[in-house]
C-alpha cells in the first residue's frame, strides 16, 4: 500500500491531553481498526506541563465521507478516556479557509499568494481585509475579494465588528496578519483565540512594537529576524510558532535592514502558515509545540 491512490482518504489526526499511559496505543488501535496506513507519526511529552501531543497522517483505502464521520465518532470515544483531551481528524485534501489582513506593506501578501499559486501552501484564501485601500490591486489581480475597513481610535469597535463579520461571513478558519499594523482588541483576540497568526518584523522578544527596524538600527544589531506567533491580547507576546535570523552589519542603512527583513519575514510567515495548515502546531500555555 505504498502509493497514495486517488480513491484513498488521507487524514491528519491530532491529540493534546494530560500525559498518561496508553494514549499512543489507543490511537493506533483505532487506526488499525479502520484499516489505516500510517504515513507519519510524531509525539511529544512535555514533562513540565504534563501535556502529551500526538500528530499522525494516515490513509484509508477507498474511504468515504461516511467512513470519516464514523472514525471521528469513534475517536471522540478515545478522547473521552483521557484527561483534558482535545483532538481532531482533518481531511488533508480539504484546504483550510484563510483570510489575510494587511495594511500598506505588500511583501508578505505577495509571497503568501505566490506560495498558494505554486501549491506550496494548501489553502483557500477567501478574502483580503485591510485598513487601507493600497493593496486592493494585488488581491484583484488574484481574483480575490478585498475589503477596505478604515480605522481610527474612535471607530475601532465598529471597524473590528466589520472585520469579525467578514471573518465569520467567509467561514474563515485562519486569519493571517500579514503586516496588519493595528492592534486587535482583547475582545477580538478572545473571539478568535488560536486562529490568528501574526508576523512580527523582529526576533522577539527584542524590538516589540510598530517600528522594530528603527530600533534595530539604533541599537546597532548584527543579526535581524522575524517572528510568527499567535496574536493574543498581550501585544507581541503570543505563543511563538517560527523564527529566523539574518546577518547584517554596521554598513546597513535602515532601508537596507528593511529590505533584508522583508525576506526573513516572508520565509518565517510562509513556514509558520504551512505548519499551521498541516496541523503541526499545538498551543502549550504561552508556548507552542510544533511537530515537524
Ligand atoms: N492583539 C494583537 N494585535 C496585533 C498583534 C498582536 O501581537 N496582538 N500584532 C500586531 C502586529 N504588530 C507587530 O507585529 C504591531 C502592529 C501595530 C502596532 C501599533 O502600535 N499600532 C498602532 C498604530 C500604528 C499605525 O497606525 O501605524 C496602534 O494600533 O495604535 C504594534 C505592533 C498586529 N495586531
Amino acid at each position: 500500500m505504498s502509493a497514495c491512490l486517488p480513491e484513498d482518504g488521507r487524514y491528519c489526526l491530532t491529540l493534546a491531553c494530560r500525559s498518561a499511559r496508553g494514549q499512543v496505543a489507543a490511537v493506533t488501535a483505532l487506526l488499525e481498526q479502520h484499516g489505516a496506513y500510517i504515513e507519519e507519526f510524531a509525539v511529544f511529552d512535555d514533562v513540565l506541563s504534563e501535556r502529551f501531543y500526538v500528530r499522525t497522517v494516515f490513509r484509508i483505502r477507498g474511504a468515504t465521507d461516511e467512513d470519516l464521520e464514523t472514525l471521528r465518532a469513534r475517536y471522540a470515544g478515545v478522547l473521552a478516556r483521557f484527561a483534558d483531551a482535545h483532538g481532531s481528524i482533518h481531511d488533508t485534501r480539504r484546504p483550510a479557509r484563510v483570510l489575510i489582513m494587511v495594511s500598506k506593506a505588500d511583501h508578505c501578501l505577495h509571497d503568501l499568494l505566490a506560495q498558494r499559486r505554486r501549491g506550496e501552501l494548501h489553502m483557500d484564501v477567501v478574502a483580503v481585509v485591510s485598513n487601507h485601500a493600497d493593496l486592493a490591486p494585488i488581491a484583484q489581480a488574484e481574483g480575490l475579494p478585498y475589503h477596505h475597513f478604515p480605522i481610527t481610535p474612535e471607530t475601532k469597535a465598529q471597524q473590528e465588528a466589520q472585520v469579525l463579520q467578514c471573518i465569520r461571513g467567509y467561514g474563515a478558519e485562519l486569519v493571517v496578519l500579514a503586516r496588519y499594523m493595528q492592534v486587535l482588541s482583547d475582545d477580538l483576540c478572545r473571539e478568535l483565540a488560536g486562529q490568528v497568526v501574526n508576523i512580527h518584523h523582529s526576533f522577539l522578544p527584542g524590538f516589540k512594537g510598530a517600528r522594530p527596524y528603527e530600533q534595530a538600527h539604533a541599537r546597532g544589531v548584527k543579526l535581524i529576524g522575524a517572528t510568527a506567533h499567535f496574536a493574543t491580547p498581550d501585544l507581541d507576546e503570543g505563543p511563538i510558532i517560527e523564527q529566523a535570523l539574518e546577518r547584517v552589519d554596521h554598513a546597513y542603512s535602515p532601508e537596507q535592514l528593511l529590505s533584508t527583513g522583508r525576506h526573513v519575514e516572508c520565509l518565517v510567515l510562509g513556514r509558520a502558515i504551512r505548519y499551521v495548515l498541516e496541523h503541526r502546531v499545538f498551543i502549550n500555555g504561552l508556548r507552542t509545540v510544533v511537530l515537524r
Side-chain angles (χ1 to χ4, degrees):
M1 194 177 176
S2 54
C4 183
L5 300 178
E7 66 270 21
D8 288 350
R10 189 165 180 278
Y11 311 104
C12 178
L13 177 151
T14 59
L15 169 63
C17 57
R18 177 174 286 281
S19 305
R21 284 183 58 254
Q23 289 153 345
V24 170
V27 168
T28 53
L30 174 71
L31 297 184
E32 177 55 23
Q33 189 186 6
H34 284 257
Y37 178 90
I38 294 175
E39 295 177 7
E40 298 176 41
F41 201 100
V43 305
F44 176 69
D45 185 27
D46 183 359
V47 290
L48 291 177
S49 66
E50 296 183 357
R51 295 290 295 171
F52 187 68
Y53 302 92
V54 176
R55 175 184 179 271
T56 177
V57 176
F58 57 94
R59 302 198 301 268
I60 299 176
R61 181 61 42 87
T64 65
D65 290 347
E66 288 72 29
D67 296 328
L68 175 57
E69 289 320 304
T70 303
L71 179 59
R72 282 173 170 158
R74 291 185 179 150
Y75 185 43
V78 170
L79 292 172
R81 290 164 48 191
F82 299 115
D84 193 14
H86 307 276
S88 303
I89 299 177
H90 308 273
D91 184 339
T92 63
R93 295 190 167 145
R94 185 185 71 77
R97 296 174 66 77
V98 176
L99 184 142
I100 301 175
M101 298 185 68
V102 297
S103 286
K104 292 188 174 184
D106 63 2
H107 54 285
C108 290
L109 178 61
H110 271 305
D111 190 72
L112 288 174
L113 295 179
Q115 289 198 61
R116 178 189 69 124
R117 216 173 25 251
R118 292 192 298 261
E120 294 161 3
L121 288 175
H122 184 49
M123 60 181 179
D124 177 6
V125 177
V126 293
V128 177
V129 167
S130 178
N131 57 321
H132 295 289
D134 303 52
L135 304 192
I138 299 171
Q140 285 145 8
E142 294 275 340
L144 295 171
Y146 189 89
H147 298 273
H148 173 207
F149 299 140
I151 186 171
T152 65
E154 296 71 34
T155 63
K156 183 167 182 162
Q158 295 97 308
Q159 191 262 9
E160 290 201 340
Q162 290 176 299
V163 169
L164 184 57
Q165 184 182 37
C166 211
I167 292 166
R168 297 306 188 213
Y170 282 107
E173 298 158 283
L174 179 64
V175 176
V176 179
L177 306 182
R179 291 294 302 272
Y180 179 71
M181 296 309 292
Q182 293 293 315
V183 178
L184 305 183
S185 67
D186 295 10
D187 289 347
L188 190 56
C189 284
R190 278 191 283 272
E191 179 73 23
L192 299 169
Q195 293 182 271
V196 183
V197 172
N198 176 61
I199 184 67
H200 182 76
H201 36 319
S202 84
F203 192 79
L204 290 173
F207 308 134
K208 296 173 181 172
R211 300 192 187 330
Y213 290 122
E214 292 167 18
Q215 297 173 62
H217 185 266
R219 186 70 184 80
V221 298
K222 305 307 180 194
L223 293 164
I224 60 165
T227 304
H229 63 94
F230 288 103
T232 65
D234 303 315
L235 184 60
D236 302 333
E237 295 283 350
I240 292 171
I241 303 167
E242 178 68 332
Q243 295 184 290
L245 286 164
E246 187 62 31
R247 180 167 292 283
V248 295
D249 65 34
H250 58 276
Y252 278 62
S253 66
E255 293 69 30
Q256 287 170 314
L257 286 181
L258 264 160
S259 172
T260 300
R262 280 193 281 268
H263 299 292
V264 186
E265 291 169 45
C266 292
L267 175 72
V268 168
L269 184 58
R271 282 181 185 162
I273 298 304
R274 181 167 65 79
Y275 297 155
V276 171
L277 293 173
E278 294 176 352
H279 312 287
R280 297 178 183 277
V281 182
F282 300 82
I283 293 176
N284 180 16
L286 298 177
R287 306 158 69 228
T288 65
V289 171
V290 181
L291 297 179
R292 290 193 292 167

